[in-house]
């Protein structure tokens, strides 16, 4: 889960890149589900820099799988995001 100066970021994270048509569809889906559930979310452009939890650059860690959606740091889907799987993941209690 991305962190900010204030602490952990939103539970819901979309990893994407500019010019990715699957990322555009995933963004629409994530925005819709997040709005329905009142859940904040963040989009991370893997080409803008940053590193994954395993220390690799984000583009190397996620590049072949984009888009990737994570909830509470766990991958919920990649390429074609399943709405029901995303909703189920958000309905689960946040990890401590």
């Amino acid at each position: 889960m991305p962190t900010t100066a204030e602490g952990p970021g939103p539970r819901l994270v979309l990893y994407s890149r500019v010019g990715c048509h699957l990322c555009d569809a995933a963004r629409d889906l994530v925005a819709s589900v997040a709005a329905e559930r009142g859940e904040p979310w963040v989009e991370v452009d893997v080409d803008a820099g940053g590193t994954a939890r395993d220390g690799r650059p984000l583009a190397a860690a996620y590049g072949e799988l984009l888009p990737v959606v994570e909830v509470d740091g766990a991958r919920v889907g990649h390429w074609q995001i399943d709405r029901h799987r995303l909703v189920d993941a958000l309905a689960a209690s946040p990890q401590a």
Side-chain angles (χ1 to χ4, degrees), residues 4-96:
T4 66
E6 296 82 35
R11 295 178 61 205
L12 177 55
V13 180
L14 168 64
Y15 292 93
S16 65
R17 71 170 25 115
V18 174
C20 166
H21 71 282
L22 292 176
C23 298
D24 294 339
R27 181 179 309 107
D28 292 343
L29 175 67
V30 167
S32 174
V33 170
E36 289 168 9
R37 300 194 53 85
E39 191 74 52
W41 66 284
V42 65
E43 183 172 0
V44 177
D45 181 346
V46 300
D47 296 321
T51 55
R53 286 184 295 279
D54 65 5
R56 293 184 294 161
L58 288 173
Y62 294 102
E64 296 296 319
L65 297 174
L66 294 177
V68 172
V69 173
E70 293 183 355
V71 173
D72 296 327
R75 187 170 298 160
V76 174
H78 63 276
W79 298 329
Q80 300 276 340
I81 308 305
D82 181 88
R83 178 182 192 83
H84 299 292
R85 190 168 179 197
L86 176 56
V87 168
D88 289 347
L90 287 169
S93 296
Q95 294 178 353

